Amino acid sequence: MSFSTLGLSAPILEAVAQQGYETPSPIQAEAIPAVLEGRDVMAAAQTGTGKTAGFTLPLLQRLSEGPKVQGNQVRALVLTPTRELAAQVGESVATYGKNLPLRSAVVFGGVKINPQMMTLRRGVDVLVATPGRLLDLFNQNAVRFKQLEVLILDEADRMLDMGFIHDIRKILSLLPKKRQNLMFSATFSDEIRALAKGLVNDPIEISVTPRNAAATTVEQWIHPVDKKQKSALLTQLIRDNQWQQALVFTKTKHGANRLTRYLDDKGITAAAIHGNKSQGARTKALADFKQGEVRILVATDIAARGLDIDQLPQVVNFDLPNVAEDYVHRIGRTGRAGATGKAISLVCADEFKQLSDVERLIKQLLPRQPMPGFEPVNLLPESRLDLRVKKPKKPKKPKQPKVEHKDGQRSGDNARGHKPTGKNRRHQAGQGQSQGRNQGKPSSRRRPGAKPAGSDQRAAPKG
């Protein structure tokens, strides 16, 4: 199969050929015809499978056949969770649509909003946006959706993980009801399907990779090491293997900064990208890394989502992620489009739980390669592959409020026929004798205004 058999126009096919692509990937072969037919699509695909072109190519084809966009209007909206992914999708739209009379724009936070407002004033055919900045632009009357034809949610699972669900629902309420909807996600979790119920109509479901599966082209292993020795071990690996390019993941922003400084001090050029970095700094770090001016790019999970780096030879997990699914996303940065790659994890004893979760998820034990001179003092326990399905924990029953009982009486004692004991028995017996002596005798004490016993006046009905 070739791209020419999928129904794409000559200008788009020419742009694809100029990028050196001849055969569509599995996700492209299934998604492109469905989108061209105008169908709603739910596609499960890991990064590196060509999913961006899978919706970009048919989207451009459809828009090239439609009406001209008006000022401040948008014909197609692509929502992404991160700035980097937005920039990547925007670049793809510009690359494949360069032979078409269409306008596109990319908007996200972290940069000045005025230039973005100026770009939108003429209207754009394709707008790639992060949810927060899009709502800001709408509130300032810079963007309108009267002409919207297509909505695309890219990496929908990550948008939910990052807490964008409320922003997404706000955006959906602003869009025309009649539109084509495309949803791309690494997995179809219960949360994703719940979101899809209010979004897609009679969708075609496409799944080209097993759920949470690691790419078969990626070789994976771990180096057991004490936490304090990780930086030194990473430096040794870079020097021994003469790595010219490696993407390193840390758990925290501060950890990324510390590791970057350490590598720089050792004469290894490194740069960090994370949420605290300005957009300009993140863009420069990624550009320097791609051009080879920086050997090591240190990133947190959120910042690295959507990074598209051709022929990345290795990924290093300096820290294992707390969420096992993120391990699959991380190592998916290498071994893309059929190329081979390596995924190395530096694991200390404190990370055994995270290691077990990862191995359980990918259904395999990761080989261990101890490094001479870096044998851990705190030994990493041996792994056992447990594939049993974890049962959800039963919610704890709420504690019943304490009921006050007189004289230490237990709840329901008298009702169940329990005999009073000890002091309570003598007390209750005394009460019974007193009641027996006074039975039939009217009380000499009455409340002021109370009627005498035996009065035949009936009480007034209540209410």
Side-chain angles (χ1 to χ4, degrees):
M1 178 184 289
S2 66
F3 281 102
S4 60
T5 64
L6 297 178
L8 297 171
S9 64
I12 295 177
L13 290 174
E14 182 183 347
V16 171
Q18 288 176 355
Q19 295 301 308
Y21 299 121
E22 298 178 358
T23 305
S25 68
I27 185 69
Q28 293 165 356
E30 293 193 51
I32 290 174
V35 176
L36 289 176
E37 290 175 12
R39 294 288 302 274
D40 282 9
V41 172
M42 284 181 66
Q46 301 285 357
T47 55
T49 56
K51 65 180 176 63
T52 303
F55 66 77
T56 300
L57 297 177
L59 174 66
L60 293 169
Q61 173 81 30
R62 295 204 67 196
L63 295 177
S64 65
E65 301 166 352
K68 187 176 180 181
V69 67
Q70 300 172 7
N72 292 109
Q73 294 290 337
V74 174
R75 295 180 61 203
L77 173 63
V78 185
L79 288 178
T80 68
T82 67
R83 308 166 188 176
E84 283 74 23
L85 183 56
Q88 175 195 324
V89 174
E91 185 179 340
S92 179
V93 171
T95 298
Y96 296 123
K98 64 180 181 179
N99 300 324
L100 299 171
L102 299 174
R103 289 197 295 267
S104 63
V106 181
V107 296
F108 44 70
V111 296
K112 293 181 179 179
I113 197 171
N114 286 341
Q116 298 175 355
M117 296 174 69
M118 295 294 290
T119 301
L120 292 170
R121 188 170 293 177
R122 297 173 57 204
V124 294
D125 295 282
V126 183
L127 178 62
V128 186
T130 51
R133 177 49 62 95
L134 181 66
L135 288 173
D136 290 341
L137 289 164
F138 178 83
N139 291 332
Q140 297 193 40
N141 297 317
V143 62
R144 288 290 176 264
F145 304 110
K146 185 179 179 180
Q147 279 192 274
L148 189 85
E149 302 172 37
V150 186
L151 169 67
I152 298 148
L153 290 188
D154 194 13
E155 303 222 1
D157 54 330
R158 177 57 65 174
M159 279 199 270
L160 296 190
D161 291 344
M162 295 173 65
F164 285 133
I165 182 62
H166 298 297
D167 286 347
I168 292 172
R169 295 198 187 281
K170 285 180 185 176
I171 293 168
L172 293 179
S173 69
L174 304 173
L175 306 182
K177 299 296 182 185
K178 187 177 180 181
R179 63 179 188 265
Q180 184 179 14
N181 302 287
L182 313 177
M183 177 185 284
F184 288 79
S185 176
T187 63
F188 285 156
S189 63
D190 294 338
E191 292 79 10
I192 290 294
R193 291 193 177 276
L195 176 62
K197 284 183 179 179
L199 177 64
V200 295
N201 300 308
D202 187 27
I204 291 178
E205 285 200 22
I206 301 171
S207 182
V208 296
T209 53
R211 181 176 179 177
N212 296 323
T216 55
T217 56
V218 179
E219 183 183 1
Q220 307 170 62
W221 71 87
I222 66 174
H223 291 302
V225 61
D226 285 329
K227 187 174 183 178
K228 293 182 179 180
Q229 291 294 311
K230 282 189 176 186
S231 299
L233 174 55
L234 176 62
T235 304
Q236 189 74 28
L237 289 170
I238 294 170
R239 288 173 174 167
D240 287 354
N241 298 287
Q242 298 182 350
W243 290 346
Q244 298 305 311
Q245 195 180 47
L247 176 59
V248 180
F249 284 96
T250 61
K251 193 182 302 183
T252 66
K253 304 168 189 176
H254 298 300
N257 289 337
R258 280 196 305 270
L259 181 58
T260 301
R261 290 193 297 268
Y262 181 93
L263 294 173
D264 279 335
D265 291 341
K266 298 296 181 181
I268 300 171
T269 55
I273 60 170
H274 52 67
N276 285 356
K277 294 282 186 179
S278 69
Q279 185 56 41
R282 291 161 72 166
T283 302
K284 184 179 187 303
L286 181 58
D288 290 346
F289 182 66
K290 287 182 175 182
Q291 294 168 8
E293 296 179 14
V294 167
R295 292 174 66 183
I296 309 298
L297 186 65
V298 186
T300 55
D301 287 302
I302 290 179
R305 188 69 175 218
L307 289 183
D308 187 12
I309 304 166
D310 291 335
Q311 305 298 320
L312 179 65
Q314 50 261 325
V315 167
V316 179
N317 292 299
F318 188 83
D319 302 312
L320 285 181
N322 287 329
V323 179
E325 285 81 359
D326 284 339
Y327 174 86
V328 177
H329 295 313
R330 287 179 176 187
I331 70 172
R333 304 294 149 197
T334 185
R336 298 165 76 94
T340 58
K342 298 175 181 178
I344 304 102
S345 300
L346 312 184
V347 186
C348 65
D350 293 343
E351 296 174 299
F352 179 68
K353 181 185 181 302
Q354 288 92 324
L355 174 62
S356 299
D357 290 343
V358 166
E359 292 177 327
R360 176 188 177 88
L361 182 74
I362 64 176
K363 296 181 173 58
Q364 68 180 81
L365 294 177
L366 295 175
R368 303 186 180 201
Q369 297 184 11
M371 281 287 290
F374 293 94
E375 295 85 354
V377 175
N378 301 303
L379 296 180
L380 183 65
E382 288 297 324
S383 298
R384 293 182 180 179
L385 196 57
D386 184 3
L387 299 180
R388 292 175 297 177
V389 178
K390 289 186 177 181
K391 295 181 179 179
K393 294 182 179 180
K394 294 181 179 180
K396 294 182 179 179
K397 294 181 179 179
K399 293 182 179 180
Q400 297 295 332
K402 293 182 179 180
V403 180
E404 296 292 337
H405 300 290
K406 294 181 179 180
D407 302 322
Q409 178 183 342
R410 291 181 298 168
S411 175
D413 275 353
N414 288 348
R416 296 173 186 164
H418 291 283
K419 295 180 180 180
T421 59
K423 182 178 179 181
N424 295 341
R425 181 187 298 160
R426 292 193 297 273
H427 176 71
Q428 292 187 18
Q431 280 186 331
Q433 292 172 2
S434 173
Q435 290 174 0
R437 285 193 300 268
N438 296 331
Q439 192 172 3
K441 296 181 181 180
S443 173
S444 59
R445 298 180 182 176
R446 280 205 311 270
R447 295 190 307 274
K451 297 187 179 299
S455 171
D456 59 354
Q457 184 173 348
R458 296 179 182 177
K462 297 181 179 178

